[in-house]
Amino acid sequence: MHLPIKRVWFQTFMFDITEEVFEPSEDSFLFAENLDIHKNHEVLDLGTGCGILGILAAQQAKHVLAVDINPHAIICAKHNAALNHVHGNMSYLRSNLLTALNTTALFDVILFNAPYLPSEQYELKTWLGHAWAGGPTGRDVIDRFIPHAATHIKQSGRVLLLQSSLTGLDMTLQKFCDYGLSAKVKAESKLPFFETIHLIEASA
């Protein structure tokens, strides 16, 4: 692992961030404050980044699979899991969204702090860009994620997805509905410049 450029704290948990890995910010912390994980849960942490959500979930969950397209993020998440003493409760997979998962893999909870900001195509050419760039409307990744997420949750499973008001909240709620999931806003936080971030919970 490259040397950390920064250490971030959330409550008593510490996370080393390296140059190619996105640093947790307001959206990550809103998500972290609203996790609801039980001891028997199998959890998928998609877009794990530095591992913050997966590591917090691993404090309670039966098992957490941390997934990211960024190989530097996988290395960073492994390091931080060991730093926070949950490495034995996690496994790791490099994948573009859910494409590398076995089609029969099912989870109690899927966590995804999605890349949701409108962006130009060239911004996806960097590893950091993959963490936040959502294409011209900000919806490219979210719209690819929802249909596959619906096939990877158990009968009583849930999806927790974080996105911005800039990306079309109602469109996301409707798209979950289109794939047989009941969706609602679980938490939200207003940001400067007329933006609100929403944590959406979708249930089977």
Side-chain angles (χ1 to χ4, degrees):
M1 176 170 141
H2 293 143
L3 291 175
I5 59 170
K6 191 170 185 179
R7 176 165 284 183
V8 173
W9 291 81
F10 177 78
Q11 298 174 351
T12 60
F13 300 91
M14 52 189 172
F15 304 93
D16 287 338
I17 315 300
T18 54
E19 188 175 13
E20 301 274 9
V21 177
F22 199 76
E23 180 183 337
S25 57
E26 293 95 337
D27 53 358
S28 308
F29 300 137
L30 176 69
F31 207 138
E33 289 163 358
N34 288 277
L35 284 180
D36 181 19
I37 305 298
H38 297 214
K39 65 180 181 180
N40 62 331
H41 278 169
E42 298 276 0
V43 177
L44 171 63
D45 177 26
L46 185 60
T48 192
C50 72
I52 179 171
L53 298 178
I55 288 165
L56 292 173
Q59 303 295 315
Q60 297 292 331
K62 180 179 179 181
H63 182 261
V64 176
L65 174 61
V67 174
D68 208 295
I69 193 173
N70 180 353
H72 305 284
I74 296 293
I75 294 168
C76 188
K78 287 181 180 180
H79 166 84
N80 286 324
L83 197 63
N84 289 280
H85 312 293
V86 295
H87 187 60
N89 206 25
M90 297 182 67
S91 57
Y92 310 87
L93 176 68
R94 186 183 175 200
S95 177
N96 185 354
L97 293 178
L98 305 174
T99 56
L101 283 177
N102 190 305
T103 56
T104 61
L106 296 175
F107 301 89
D108 297 286
V109 186
I110 296 177
L111 313 173
F112 191 25
N113 187 351
Y116 55 68
L117 291 177
S119 63
E120 300 294 336
Q121 198 63 30
Y122 71 86
E123 288 164 318
L124 284 171
K125 294 182 179 180
T126 68
W127 291 122
L128 286 178
H130 278 286
W132 65 266
T137 66
R139 296 200 56 86
D140 285 6
V141 178
I142 291 171
D143 286 342
R144 285 191 291 124
F145 162 72
I146 291 175
H148 296 287
T151 68
H152 283 285
I153 58 172
K154 297 180 182 179
Q155 190 170 5
S156 58
R158 294 177 294 133
V159 177
L160 291 174
L161 170 72
L162 195 138
Q163 73 164 75
S164 166
S165 57
L166 301 176
T167 313
L169 172 63
D170 289 342
M171 292 177 67
T172 299
L173 297 176
Q174 181 59 51
K175 198 166 187 73
F176 273 122
C177 182
D178 292 343
Y179 285 90
L181 303 179
S182 175
K184 64 181 181 181
V185 175
K186 181 179 177 70
E188 61 185 21
S189 179
K190 293 186 182 300
L191 300 181
F193 308 111
F194 311 104
E195 181 186 4
T196 300
I197 49 176
H198 301 282
L199 180 61
I200 300 163
E201 181 178 64
S203 303

